[in-house]
Amino acid sequence: MAERRRDERGGRDAREDAGAVGEPWRRRVHAEEADAWDELVVTARRTVSDGLVVGTSGNVSVRVGDIVLVTPSGVRYDRLTPDDTVGVDLDGRQVLGTLLPTSELPMHLAVYRSTDAYAVVHTHAVHATAVSTLVPELPSVHYMSGALGGPVRVAPYATYGTEELAENMLQALADRSACLLQNHGTIAYGTSLEQAFDRTAQLEWMCRLWLTASSVPGLSPTLLSEEQVAEAGERLRGYGQRRG
């Protein structure tokens, strides 16, 4: 029974033993980091419940100062606890936790180094991934493209977890807050986990919309011009309730 309990805790006893020998990444989690981790776990679980990922695919991160908290590699989100907090610095050195960070860490760090992002969400959403195999850019079937900075580009394929993929992604993200990854999925960032998730969900919805409209025999969907998308983007900047 004791062995089973240790297994169910995902090897936490081993992690505690690791901490006893003084690895530098075993420093205490600060209060702000703990709150951010809780929010990260909620967001990661939502990617599963909303059908944007299956199993342990996809990953989520959030920046707290110079530390990036990120989902660990190969661990189901419903099993994550505060004891599983994983954090790295902007150079990728692990400073929190003993679980390995996601294999897509290079993509996340590239976003934080190049933008003002506070959070990043990467998924393997079905409709978005399907679109990534068909076109070099998502056709502008809806004005919500403007909320992502303009027509959504597709980053050329590269092996997951590589610097090549991170570079391809950055080029596709130029002046954008989301892009598709060819034969792979999506990535989006924002000033909060909520915004990054919402942008991811909007991108998947637009991909589903285009696939649905373009599947009608003998008809082609009407597309918006770049000017129309840009105008919508400007209007969307002030969308929602004002906070005074």
Side-chain angles (χ1 to χ4, degrees), residues 32-48:
E32 185 179 6
E33 294 166 342
D35 291 341
W37 177 257
D38 289 344
E39 188 179 1
L40 178 150
V41 171
V42 169
T43 302
R45 290 173 179 169
R46 191 177 173 191
T47 65
V48 177

Side-chain angles (χ1 to χ4, degrees), residues 110-144:
V111 172
Y112 291 115
R113 292 171 186 149
S114 305
T115 72
D116 60 354
Y118 172 82
V120 176
V121 176
H122 164 54
T123 78
H124 292 177
V126 173
H127 299 91
T129 304
V131 170
S132 79
T133 70
L134 298 171
V135 292
E137 180 178 280
L138 172 64
S140 297
V141 290
H142 198 275
Y143 65 78
M144 283 304 293

Side-chain angles (χ1 to χ4, degrees), residues 2 5 47 51 71 73 77 103 109 137 165 177 181 235-236:
R5 283 199 298 270
T47 65
T71 48
S73 178
Y77 301 145
S103 58
L109 293 180
E137 180 178 280
L165 177 58
S177 56
L181 307 170
R235 291 179 64 87
L236 286 166

